[in-house]
Amino acid sequence: MAVDYAVIVVYLAGMLAMGWWGMRRAKSKSEFLVAGRRLGPWMYSGTMAAIVLGGASTIGGVGLGYQYGLSGAWMVFTIGLGLLALSVFFSARIARLKVYTVSEMLDLRYGGRAGLISGIVMWAYTLMLAVTSTIAYATIFDVLFDMNRTVAIILGGTIVVAYSTLGGMWSITLTDMVQFVVKTIGVLLLLLPIAVIKAGGFSEMKAKLPTEYFDPLGIGGETIFTYVLIYTFGMLIGQDIWQRVFTARSDRVARLGGTVAGTYCLVYAVAGAVIGTAAKVMYPKLPTADAAFATIVKDELPVGVRGLVLAAALAAVMSTSSGALIACATVANNDIWSRFKGAVTRGGDGAEGDEEHDEVKGNRAFILIMGIAVILIAIALNDVVEALTVAYNLLVGGLLVPILGGLLWRRGTAAGALAAVAVGGLAVIGLMAGYGILANEPVYYGLLASLAVYVIVSLATKPTDAAVLAAWRERLAGRGGEPEPAERVEEVVGG
C-alpha cells in the first residue's frame, strides 16, 4: 500500500498548494467568491462537472448499481438532466444578472423583500450538503488507512477548509479541475474497464445476475420520479450550482460549458451503475451496497492504480464539499449576516481598495467559521441519508416555485414568493414528521402547496412595481451590475 499512500499524499499536498496559489489571486470580492466571473469553457465545464459529481454520485452511484443493476444509474442521471436543463434554459440569464447568491436574484426580481427567508432556507441546504460530503471522508480514509471515523472527518475536512479559506473560488476552481481529471482517469478510464473484465465481461454478468439487473426501469417508476423531482429540480436552484454559473465569463460559456458538463454526468451515471453491477457478480453478499466501491477498489485493482482510484473518490467528495462550503459561507455572510447589519449586498460594484479587501477578509472568515461548524456537525451526525433528504426537501419544496416563477412568470409578486417559501417549507417539515423523513409524499405535497399559494397570492396582490421589473429586465439583458475591469479583459482563463 506504500505506493497508494504516496499517491494520496501527493494529491492532498497538491490541493493545499493550489489553495495557497489561489490566495495570491483572490484580491477582490468578485475574485474570491466567483473567480472574477472569468472562466472560459474548458475550466467552467470541468469545475461544474466536479461539483455536481460528489461522493454520493461516485460511492453511492456504484452502490445503487450493486443493489439495482443498470437502473441504479438513475440518481446520477437525473443530476445530469438537471444540469442540462439549467444550462440550456436558464444559465445565460443567471450569468447576466451579475449577482453572488440566489437570494440576491430574488431581491432583484421581487423588489428586495424575499431575500432573507430564502437565504435562511438556502443556508440550511448548503450546510447539510457540506456536512454529508464531509462525512464521506470517513469511508475513504477507512479504506486507505483503517482510520478512526472522527479523525478521518477532521483530516479531510481540515484540508478542504484550508484551501477554500485561503483562495476562495479560485482555489476551489483549480482544485476542482484537478479533481475532474483524476475522476475521469480513475473512474471512467481505469475502474470501469477493470471491473467489467474482472467480472468476466457483460455476457458473464448477464448469466450470473437476475434479468431485472439489466432492466433500465428496474429501480421503479416512483423512485425515478422522485429523483427527477429532487435532483433534477434541485440542480436548477441550488446556491452551490448557481455560484458556479456566476463564474462563467459570458452567457455563452455558461450555456455551452454547462451542456458539456451535463453530458459528462450522464456518462458518469452509467459508468457507476456498470461498476456496481460488476461488483455484484464478484461480491454477491456484501454487508451493504455502499461497500461495493471500496471493496472492488481494495481487492481488485493493482498497486498504484488503487491509489489513483481512491484519489478519484476523494476528489469527488472534496469537490462537492468545497463547493457547498463556499456556497454556505456566501449565503451566511451576504444574505443573512449583512442584512442584520443593515448592509444588504446587491450584486457588487467591482470596486477595488480597502472596502473590497475587507469584504474578502469577511468572506474568508465566514468560510473558516462555517467549515469548523461543518466538521463538528459531521462528527456528531450519524444518518447521512436523512440529513441530505431534509436538505433537498426544504430546497425544492420551499424555493423551487418562487425562483422559477420569478424567471418565467411576470405576474409573480413578492408576497406570493414569501408565501410560497413559508408554506412550502412548513408543509415539507410537517409532512416529514407525519410520513417519515425518507417518504416521497412530503416533497410532492409541499411542492404542490408552494405552487398553489404562489399563484393565488400573486394574483390577489398588487403586481410588482414597474420600476422593479424594468431594472430586472435590464439585468437579465446584461445591462447593469458588476463591470469587469478593463485590464483583465484579455486575462481570461480557459481559452
Side-chain angles (χ1 to χ4, degrees):
M1 292 288 289
V3 175
D4 297 323
Y5 293 162
V7 171
I8 299 297
V9 170
V10 169
Y11 169 76
L12 295 176
M15 297 299 99
L16 292 174
M18 289 182 184
W20 183 260
W21 187 91
M23 181 179 67
R24 299 173 57 194
R25 194 177 186 94
K27 301 299 184 182
S28 69
K29 178 181 178 181
S30 175
E31 296 280 358
F32 190 80
L33 294 182
V34 290
R37 308 188 195 277
R38 291 188 287 133
L39 296 193
W42 163 239
M43 290 198 75
Y44 180 86
S45 299
T47 57
M48 183 62 87
I51 187 176
V52 300
L53 295 173
S57 300
T58 304
I59 299 171
V62 171
L64 286 172
Y66 182 88
Q67 189 173 359
Y68 298 104
L70 298 185
S71 67
W74 273 106
M75 184 188 76
V76 183
F77 204 83
T78 55
I79 290 173
L81 292 178
L83 186 51
L84 285 172
L86 174 71
S87 302
V88 172
F89 298 113
F90 300 108
S91 64
R93 280 180 281 181
I94 293 170
R96 287 196 293 264
L97 289 174
K98 302 295 184 186
V99 296
Y100 291 104
T101 68
V102 175
S103 296
E104 287 180 28
M105 167 263 169
L106 292 173
D107 275 348
L108 282 171
R109 169 61 181 81
Y110 294 113
R113 288 178 288 167
L116 180 58
I117 186 172
S118 65
I120 293 171
V121 174
M122 189 64 76
W123 173 78
Y125 157 73
T126 53
L127 180 69
M128 282 298 98
L129 184 61
V131 166
T132 54
S133 300
T134 302
I135 291 173
Y137 297 129
T139 302
I140 299 169
F141 283 116
D142 178 58
V143 175
L144 282 171
F145 308 115
D146 193 23
M147 188 178 290
N148 174 269
R149 178 182 184 274
T150 299
V151 175
I153 290 172
I154 292 173
L155 175 60
T158 298
I159 292 170
V160 169
V161 172
Y163 73 69
S164 300
T165 301
L166 286 172
M169 187 59 82
W170 268 123
S171 296
I172 292 170
T173 296
L174 294 170
T175 54
D176 277 359
M177 278 305 300
V178 174
Q179 289 157 358
F180 170 73
V181 172
V182 170
K183 279 191 287 191
T184 301
I185 296 173
V187 176
L188 297 184
L189 301 184
L190 293 176
L191 184 58
L192 175 61
I194 290 173
V196 173
I197 292 170
K198 292 282 188 177
F202 284 103
S203 58
E204 188 70 14
M205 291 162 61
K206 286 184 177 181
K208 290 187 175 180
L209 294 175
T211 55
E212 55 263 28
Y213 264 71
F214 301 93
D215 179 0
L217 303 178
I219 199 170
E222 184 179 355
T223 299
I224 295 171
F225 179 74
T226 302
Y227 285 159
V228 170
L229 204 59
I230 294 178
Y231 296 115
T232 301
F233 286 128
M235 287 295 106
L236 299 180
I237 59 175
Q239 169 68 24
D240 52 324
I241 309 302
W242 277 42
Q243 199 156 342
R244 296 310 174 97
V245 176
F246 300 150
T247 65
R249 78 175 185 217
S250 67
D251 53 7
R252 183 173 181 272
V253 169
R255 184 186 299 111
L256 296 181
T259 301
V260 171
T263 304
Y264 178 90
C265 291
L266 303 183
V267 175
Y268 201 88
V270 176
V274 172
I275 293 168
T277 305
K280 184 68 175 179
V281 174
M282 290 182 278
Y283 310 98
K285 295 183 179 180
L286 290 177
T288 65
D290 283 343
F293 180 89
T295 302
I296 195 171
V297 169
K298 193 172 184 179
D299 292 351
E300 302 297 336
L301 299 186
V303 173
V305 173
R306 179 171 49 206
L308 184 59
V309 173
L310 286 171
L314 197 59
V317 175
M318 282 187 161
S319 57
T320 300
S321 182
S322 59
L325 177 59
I326 193 172
C328 177
T330 302
V331 171
N333 188 17
N334 289 265
D335 295 335
I336 300 175
W337 176 246
S338 65
R339 293 170 194 268
F340 286 122
K341 293 192 306 178
V344 180
T345 302
R346 294 183 185 279
D349 57 11
E352 302 289 336
D354 292 339
E355 181 179 348
E356 194 75 3
H357 180 66
D358 288 342
E359 287 196 86
V360 172
K361 288 171 61 178
N363 282 291
R364 183 174 281 132
F366 264 88
I367 291 179
L368 179 60
I369 293 167
M370 290 297 105
I372 293 171
V374 163
I375 291 172
L376 294 176
I377 296 170
I379 292 171
L381 195 64
N382 288 319
D383 200 318
V384 180
V385 175
E386 289 195 356
L388 195 59
T389 300
V390 170
Y392 269 103
N393 282 355
L394 281 173
L395 177 72
V396 174
L399 292 181
L400 178 67
V401 169
I403 292 172
L404 293 189
L407 290 170
L408 300 174
W409 191 39
R410 180 174 176 174
R411 187 60 180 82
T413 66
L418 287 169
V421 174
V423 171
L426 291 174
V428 164
I429 293 171
L431 290 166
M432 283 192 294
Y435 284 100
I437 290 177
L438 299 180
N440 294 327
E441 287 83 359
V443 71
Y444 295 167
Y445 299 142
L447 189 56
L448 288 174
S450 179
L451 177 60
V453 168
Y454 179 73
V455 173
I456 292 170
V457 174
S458 291
L459 293 176
T461 53
K462 184 180 177 181
T464 304
D465 186 85
V468 172
L469 288 177
W472 167 252
R473 287 193 295 270
E474 285 289 301
R475 293 293 282 268
L476 279 180
R479 298 187 293 269
E482 181 183 73
E484 188 171 38
E487 68 269 21
R488 293 179 184 158
V489 169
E490 294 185 2
E491 189 191 343
V492 175
V493 179

